[in-house]
Each structure stands twice: as structure tokens, then as C-alpha cells.
Amino acid sequence: MPIKKYLLAPGPTTVPPEVLLATAQPVMLHRTKEFSAILTNIQSGLKELFGTQNPVLTLASSGTGAMEAALVNMLSDGDSILTVENGKFGERWAKIAKGYNLKVHTLRYEWGSVAKADDVAANLRQFPEIKAVFMQGCETSTTVYNPLKEIAAAVKAHDDVILVVDGITSVGVYETNMDEIGVDVMLTGSQKAMMLPPGLSFLALSDKALARMKTSNLPRHYFNLNIEYQNFLKNTTAWTPAVNLIYGLEKSLEIMRNEGFANIYKRHELCANATRAAVKALELEFVAKENPSNAVTGLYLPDNIDGKAFTSWLRENAGITFAGGQGKLEGRIVRIAHLGYHSQFDTIVAISALEMGLIKFGAQISPGKGLAAAQAELLKPLA
Ligand SMILES: *Cc1c(COP(=O)(O)O)cnc(C)c1O
């Protein structure tokens, strides 16, 4: 096994040493002034990250927990919803809804395509009974970024429809600005752009969402956000929080604020541009047919390479962890993340590993061609 490992998958991502150290502090009782002070301190950073004046709730769960919490708190028995599917994570909404006696309309796209605001608008006109729309910011499985602003504008035209966005790989990658663009529930998880270990999820709620939460009646208890919100107002949490992850969160938000949110988004764009330039120079095909995400780049491997063998070889022999494909893309693609605690030279490592893997597996590429293209992109802001 290589001595040094590089985690370059779109979650979990690498955690900075300062954050790991923060999580190693002694556990404290959470019903204390000291812990409430930490909760107060994280709130301003979270609000800035989400672009909201409203509360951002922190739950002890993976991202899917926040997806389920959003769904059960925005709807009532027998309600109709619209789910937008342009990949594996989009399919999750309908799967969650199945357990709650909801009527599900689904807007489906070919994988690699983005969702279109016009289609959402047409569905809302055709099915006026729809109470909420569920979608992804970045669809991590196909590496596309959906046009959130346009879709939010289409939903906003309907006073009684809530827009829920899984921003698990878009919050912290792109400016979120949820109040301004009009997202009602924006959620994310700790293990992607937030530079934390897995285990926390976050939900920010608009005024419209807070009102809907009070009247929704689907079965729930742990994820009853009414209880969470009442506790939030008293500067505490409903249940025992993941105390040590919250120490880490305080540190990761401090690191983010020191870098500056605008600079974080620029860094993601730069590393994404460099990765895309390399993929292009190597004449490989992108998974994203349009709007490739700044969180992760997906590429098709040459037909004769087994994707699973490729990613395993890199992980086991070179210490490089890329993600393979999910669902129908399994074994065919590689996803290279550039999100969270990721710098320009992590991108260089990624491209170099990609090229070496391709050579090892017999692909006809010109070694260094991708690297040169990536370097040229990375030099641009330094010029
Ligand atoms: C990673 C990811 C999730 C997964 O959430 P977990 O429950 O934390 O595994 C959901 N949605 C998107 C878009 C993701 O990238």
C-alpha cells in the first residue's frame, strides 16, 4: 500500500488537519453555555455559506437524512410532488417519497443533460396539485450542474409550491444565494465541500418553508424539524448533536471565512477548468453533455478499459482514490473531484494519476498532454 493517499472522490473528501484536530477535543455536555456559544458561532458562517438570513439547521445524519427531513416536513398525506431526475441522486427523491404515500410526478432527462426551467414550469402548469419540487444542484453521478436560478424563478411564480434543492455538491462550490434566487429548502452534507468527516447535514429554510413545516403532517419524529426549530430558537438542538463534528464545523467555517467565500468558488472553478482542459487534451469524452460541474469532472474511459479495475488499480497501487460510475454508468466512467480541501496541485496529482492509469491500461494517449493543458489553465490567474 502506498504511504500517502489522495482522496479525490466527490465525497467523502479530504479533511484539513486543523479540522481533524478540532474534532479530537474532549466531548462536552451539549446542554451547556459553552456548547450554545459554539452553536451561535457557527450560525453566522452557515448563513453566509447558504446566502440566507433564515436559520440553518444542523442534523446528525448523512446527506440523505436531510433529503428525507426536507421531504417529510414540507408535505402532507396524499400530496403530489415533482421530482427532477437527471442522474442517480435525482432518483433518490422518488424512492424516499414512496415510503410516505405521496403522488410522484417525475421529470426525467438523459444522464449527462441538465434540467430545464421550461420543463419544470410546464409540469407545474399541467399538474396544479403539485406541492413541492425536488431536485439536485449538482447531480454528482453525471457531473452536471443544474440551472438553479432559472428553475427557482419558474417555481417562485407559484405561491403554493416549495422548491427543495439537494445542494450536497453545490453548496460551498458555487455561490448559493438561496434567499435571492428563491430556493425554499437548501440542504447539504458535511463530507463534500464543507471539509468535514461524514455525519452532519444542514438544512436552510425560507419563510415559506418555515410556514409549510408547521402544517405538514407526514409521519416523522427524529426528523421533525418543528422540534428542531423550537430548540434552535433556544440555542440548542433537539437531540444529542454530533458534538465533535460540530467542533470540526466551527474550525472548517473559520478556514472558509479566512479564505473568503468568493475565493473558494474561484478556486473550484480554476481546478475544474484545469481538469476539463486535461480531459479535452487527452481527447476523452465528458459525461456531462452540458454545464459540467465545478465540483467533479466525469469522463468516459476508452471502451476496452474496465472502469472498476482502473479505479481499483489506482487506489491500491498509487494511493489515488477516484470515484467510478453509479447505476448505468458503473464500470464505464471515472469521476475526479475537485471540491472541498483541494488545491491546484491536487489537480496536478489527479491528472498525472489519470494519465499513468491510462498508460498502464494500454490506452493510446500522449503522456503529459493532459498535464500541460492543466498547467496552462492553472497559470492563468498567476500570469
Ligand atoms: C453525496 C451525495 C448525496 C449522498 O448523501 P449521503 O447520504 O451523505 O451519502 C446526495 N446527493 C448528492 C448530490 C450527493 O453528491
Side-chain angles (χ1 to χ4, degrees):
M1 250 306 190
I3 190 167
K4 190 159 184 187
K5 293 175 191 164
Y6 296 85
L7 184 51
L8 299 166
T13 61
T14 303
V15 178
E18 303 93 306
V19 174
L20 289 172
L21 275 174
T23 64
Q25 293 172 91
V27 182
M28 69 164 82
L29 180 69
H30 54 291
R31 308 289 183 204
T32 54
K33 267 191 230 140
E34 287 86 345
F35 194 72
S36 286
I38 297 175
L39 291 179
T40 307
N41 190 26
I42 61 174
Q43 216 24 239
S44 54
L46 287 172
K47 282 182 170 168
E48 204 175 330
L49 177 67
F50 279 80
T52 185
Q53 299 295 321
N54 279 351
V56 184
L57 303 177
T58 303
L59 309 178
S61 81
S62 84
T64 308
M67 291 171 75
E68 181 148 351
L71 185 133
V72 296
N73 286 278
M74 291 300 116
L75 298 162
S76 292
D77 197 41
D79 275 354
S80 293
I81 65 170
L82 177 67
T83 67
V84 177
E85 280 186 18
N86 55 342
K88 181 84 182 155
F89 289 106
E91 291 174 353
R92 194 164 292 178
W93 292 118
K95 284 185 186 156
I96 299 171
K98 258 205 173 130
Y100 292 100
N101 193 28
L102 299 169
K103 297 187 184 75
V104 182
H105 298 272
T106 297
L107 182 50
R108 255 185 216 98
Y109 294 91
E110 213 176 296
W111 285 27
S113 300
V114 295
K116 309 270 186 311
D118 286 350
D119 298 335
V120 173
N123 267 266
L124 292 178
R125 276 196 304 273
Q126 192 185 347
F127 307 109
E129 68 275 20
I130 288 170
K131 293 282 193 296
V133 177
F134 295 85
M135 64 176 293
Q136 270 55 42
C138 169
E139 174 47 78
T140 319
S141 66
T142 65
T143 69
V144 303
Y145 179 56
N146 284 317
L148 274 186
K149 221 189 226 174
E150 290 77 7
I151 293 175
V155 178
K156 218 168 152 181
H158 300 260
D159 286 341
D160 52 345
V161 182
I162 294 278
L163 175 61
V164 178
V165 177
D166 162 1
I168 298 181
T169 49
S170 62
V171 173
V173 174
Y174 293 91
E175 184 172 22
T176 298
N177 245 343
M178 64 176 281
D179 286 0
E180 196 181 307
I181 70 171
V183 174
D184 296 300
V185 182
M186 180 60 86
L187 62 96
T188 191
S190 53
Q191 79 275 26
K192 310 258 171 134
M194 312 244 342
M195 308 192 289
L196 288 163
L200 292 181
S201 69
F202 308 91
L203 283 145
L205 304 160
S206 71
D207 290 336
K208 195 163 138 187
L210 287 169
R212 177 69 75 82
M213 180 177 91
K214 294 199 183 102
T215 59
S216 65
N217 73 5
L218 289 183
R220 70 223 133 131
H221 187 69
Y222 183 74
F223 285 138
N224 188 336
L225 297 181
N226 288 291
I227 305 176
E228 201 60 60
Y229 184 58
Q230 287 313 311
N231 280 278
F232 172 89
L233 295 175
K234 290 181 271 179
N235 221 351
T236 184
T237 55
W239 327 112
T240 308
V243 170
N244 292 54
L245 289 177
I246 292 186
Y247 298 155
L249 172 63
E250 192 178 30
K251 180 53 81 178
S252 74
L253 286 170
E254 182 191 317
I255 294 173
M256 285 190 206
R257 287 180 119 171
N258 284 344
E259 182 177 3
F261 287 103
N263 293 328
I264 292 174
Y265 308 138
K266 268 191 224 146
R267 171 167 55 77
H268 281 82
E269 189 182 357
L270 179 69
C271 293
N273 278 340
T275 308
R276 292 192 283 256
V279 170
K280 219 182 247 171
L282 292 167
E283 295 175 42
L284 297 165
E285 190 192 338
F286 288 101
V287 179
K289 302 293 173 226
E290 47 193 332
N291 255 13
S293 168
N294 287 346
V296 54
T297 296
L299 57 103
Y300 284 96
L301 287 167
D303 281 342
N304 56 345
I305 297 182
D306 168 2
K308 276 191 169 168
F310 185 87
T311 50
S312 301
W313 183 82
L314 277 177
R315 192 171 58 249
E316 286 158 21
N317 298 284
I320 301 283
T321 298
F322 291 152
Q326 295 167 285
K328 60 183 106 166
L329 293 174
E330 199 176 312
R332 299 172 57 205
I333 68 163
V334 172
R335 289 174 301 150
I336 302 174
H338 20 76
L339 86 158
Y341 185 54
H342 184 104
S343 84
Q344 287 87 323
F345 286 92
D346 294 310
T347 300
I348 292 294
V349 167
I351 303 307
S352 184
L354 173 69
E355 289 188 349
M356 288 165 74
L358 287 167
I359 294 164
K360 166 74 192 169
F361 279 77
Q364 299 300 310
I365 62 150
S366 320
K369 214 171 172 185
L371 269 178
Q375 286 170 351
E377 277 306 313
L378 296 176
L379 271 167
K380 278 183 184 169
L382 303 174

